[in-house]
Amino acid sequence: MSRKEGLVSPTSSWLPAAAHRLQRLADQAATSPTAGHQGLGLGGKLMHLAIETARRESLGFLWLGVWERNESAIAMYRHRGFRVFGDHVFMFGGDAQTDLLMRLDLE
């Protein structure tokens, strides 16, 4: 079976339908967390589901961007095997922010 490049990103041009659903859930969780939902392990469960979906779809890797100051998310991604491979500056309103780009090889 041939390998495909995987992508966990709001700008993805190719993702299986299940991954699109995961992306919407992850985007929603990342942009609108509430105190009542933090610390329940939901982020880890979503990441596990994304990784398993990517493996079933024979993707070669996943990558994501995380705000450089979100230390708890970075720690969770590192724990799951993601490694930093670069960064990306983006504008949040009028403020320049930096995302770390992290990759998980699935092969």
Side-chain angles (χ1 to χ4, degrees):
M1 180 178 285
S2 66
R3 291 267 179 201
K4 302 171 194 165
E5 291 183 353
L7 197 54
V8 175
S9 167
T11 59
S12 64
S13 58
W14 180 89
L15 281 176
H20 277 293
R21 289 190 297 276
L22 286 171
Q23 183 62 52
R24 284 194 302 276
L25 285 172
D27 287 345
Q28 186 176 27
T31 59
S32 59
T34 64
H37 294 108
Q38 290 180 330
L40 299 177
L42 297 176
K45 289 176 183 176
L46 280 170
M47 183 54 60
H48 176 76
L49 186 55
I51 292 168
E52 291 307 309
T53 299
R55 285 193 171 122
R56 273 195 313 274
E57 294 291 329
S58 300
L59 302 180
F61 65 89
L62 295 175
W63 72 269
L64 54 82
V66 59
W67 185 40
E68 66 182 346
R69 295 185 189 168
N70 190 343
E71 295 176 14
S72 61
I74 293 167
M76 189 263 296
Y77 296 136
R78 285 185 196 269
H79 177 75
R80 300 244 179 226
F82 283 83
R83 298 291 174 247
V84 174
F85 71 92
D87 58 36
H88 169 72
V89 176
F90 66 97
M91 296 304 292
F92 186 73
D95 190 26
Q97 301 285 321
T98 302
D99 266 1
L100 298 178
L101 302 177
M102 301 183 78
R103 175 181 170 137
L104 173 66
D105 291 314
L106 299 172
E107 300 179 326

